[in-house]
């Protein structure tokens, strides 16, 4: 999760997020190189009184400063499109969960199990236990198996919401009357935090998302326990 004064992204917990981090570094290096070149040209033009007639009117220079930016854009666009298609790829998910946004909490339905479904409310500050995070902890976490593709079906009951977990590279709008879908794979067991990312009313800041990824054996035990309690 994010830390105070953190400048970069959260640690990647899914393959898509790792790709996004690599693309961010790739694009940032291109931006740094362009900025350095532009700064050098500005300083050179301001600090020197020399002029060159071949630079003032040159077809070759015009060709270069037209072709070079186009080449740079291609270097950015190709990996960007690749990641865009990877984010839309959903191949044989092992588990499907329906997330429904309400004012102001989330409810989850495990569609592969008829009896597993629950509401997830934020834990009030006065009820927090040591180790829990204020405004981020919930009373019922969404439990998923680690290293398994999970499909999330996202909708809303009342107003627009957005189901977002940054470390898993997941952000999808929850629209009333519409069923959106996305998918992720948690690389390792852990607890991953997110929040509603669409302004949805007075308590928009108080409907966090907590995804707990556990090994498959523990997920089977948890699902069996939930079926017994249903």
């Amino acid at each position: 999760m994010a830390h105070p004064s953190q400048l970069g992204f959260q640690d990647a917990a899914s393959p898509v997020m790792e790709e996004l981090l690599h693309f961010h570094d790739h694009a940032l290096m291109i931006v740094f190189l362009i900025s350095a070149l532009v700064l050098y040209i500005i300083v050179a033009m301001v600090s020197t009184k020399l002029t060159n007639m071949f630079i003032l009117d040159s077809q070759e220079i015009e060709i270069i400063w037209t072709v070079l930016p186009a080449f740079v854009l291609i270097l950015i666009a190709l990996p960007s499109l690749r990641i865009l298609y990877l984010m839309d790829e959903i191949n044989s998910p092992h588990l499907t969960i329906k997330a429904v946004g309400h004012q102001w909490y989330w409810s989850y339905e495990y569609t592969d199990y008829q009896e597993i479904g629950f509401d997830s409310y934020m834990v009030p500050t006065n009820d927090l236990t040591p180790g829990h995070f204020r405004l981020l902890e919930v009373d019922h976490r969404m439990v998923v198996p680690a290293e398994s593709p999970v499909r999330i079906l996202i909708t809303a009951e009342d107003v627009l919401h957005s189901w977002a977990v940054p470390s898993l590279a997941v952000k999808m709008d929850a629209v009333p009357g519409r069923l959106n879908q996305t998918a992720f794979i948690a690389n390792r067991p852990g607890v991953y935090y997110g929040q509603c990312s669409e302004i949805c009313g007075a308590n928009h800041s108080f409907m966090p998302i907590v995804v707990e990824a556990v090994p498959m054996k523990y997920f089977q035990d948890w699902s069996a326990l939930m079926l017994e309690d249903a």
Side-chain angles (χ1 to χ4, degrees):
M1 62 174 294
H3 301 284
S5 303
Q6 179 175 332
L7 297 179
F9 290 97
Q10 298 183 25
D11 291 340
S14 71
V16 173
M17 189 59 191
E18 290 178 358
E19 293 289 337
L20 286 172
L21 291 180
H22 292 155
F23 174 71
H24 170 265
D25 297 340
H26 167 75
L28 201 61
M29 285 305 302
I30 294 176
V31 170
F32 283 154
L33 292 174
I34 293 173
S35 302
L37 177 61
V38 172
L39 181 62
Y40 169 76
I41 293 174
I42 292 174
V43 171
M45 293 183 65
V46 170
S47 61
T48 182
K49 296 180 180 179
L50 300 176
T51 58
N52 189 315
M53 60 177 295
F54 296 108
I55 293 180
L56 294 178
D57 185 16
S58 173
Q59 295 288 338
E60 290 79 8
I61 291 293
E62 292 184 7
I63 292 174
I64 290 173
W65 71 37
T66 301
V67 172
L68 192 59
F71 179 71
V72 171
L73 288 176
I74 292 173
L75 287 180
I76 297 175
L78 291 180
S80 175
L81 289 172
R82 172 178 169 271
I83 296 175
L84 191 63
Y85 280 103
L86 281 176
M87 294 177 70
D88 283 339
E89 197 74 25
I90 301 176
N91 289 324
S92 303
H94 294 175
L95 180 69
T96 299
I97 302 173
K98 183 180 179 182
V100 183
H102 309 266
Q103 289 182 308
W104 287 271
Y105 65 96
W106 293 96
S107 61
Y108 300 103
E109 302 171 12
Y110 287 68
T111 58
D112 299 297
Y113 303 86
Q114 293 183 353
E115 304 295 334
I116 299 183
F118 50 83
D119 297 330
S120 180
Y121 290 88
M122 186 192 75
V123 176
T125 302
N126 295 333
D127 297 336
L128 290 174
T129 58
H132 286 175
F133 298 102
R134 177 177 170 270
L135 301 182
L136 286 178
E137 194 56 62
V138 296
D139 56 355
H140 292 94
R141 296 173 174 176
M142 191 185 87
V143 180
V144 299
E147 299 180 340
S148 297
V150 178
R151 175 173 56 188
I152 308 293
L153 304 177
I154 301 168
T155 187
E157 186 185 46
D158 35 47
V159 298
L160 291 175
H161 300 278
S162 183
W163 201 85
V165 182
S167 56
L168 296 174
V170 176
K171 184 179 186 296
M172 183 62 68
D173 287 345
V175 183
R178 181 185 178 92
L179 202 62
N180 293 327
Q181 73 171 355
T182 185
F184 66 86
I185 300 175
N187 281 344
R188 55 187 179 275
V191 180
Y192 308 107
Y193 295 91
Q195 290 176 302
C196 176
S197 297
E198 188 75 46
I199 296 176
C200 56
N203 292 331
H204 158 69
S205 302
F206 307 115
M207 49 183 302
I209 300 159
V210 182
V211 178
E212 183 174 358
V214 298
M216 180 60 74
K217 178 181 181 301
Y218 294 99
F219 175 78
Q220 292 172 343
D221 295 341
W222 174 85
S223 59
L225 185 62
M226 292 292 291
L227 289 172
E228 290 177 4
D229 295 339

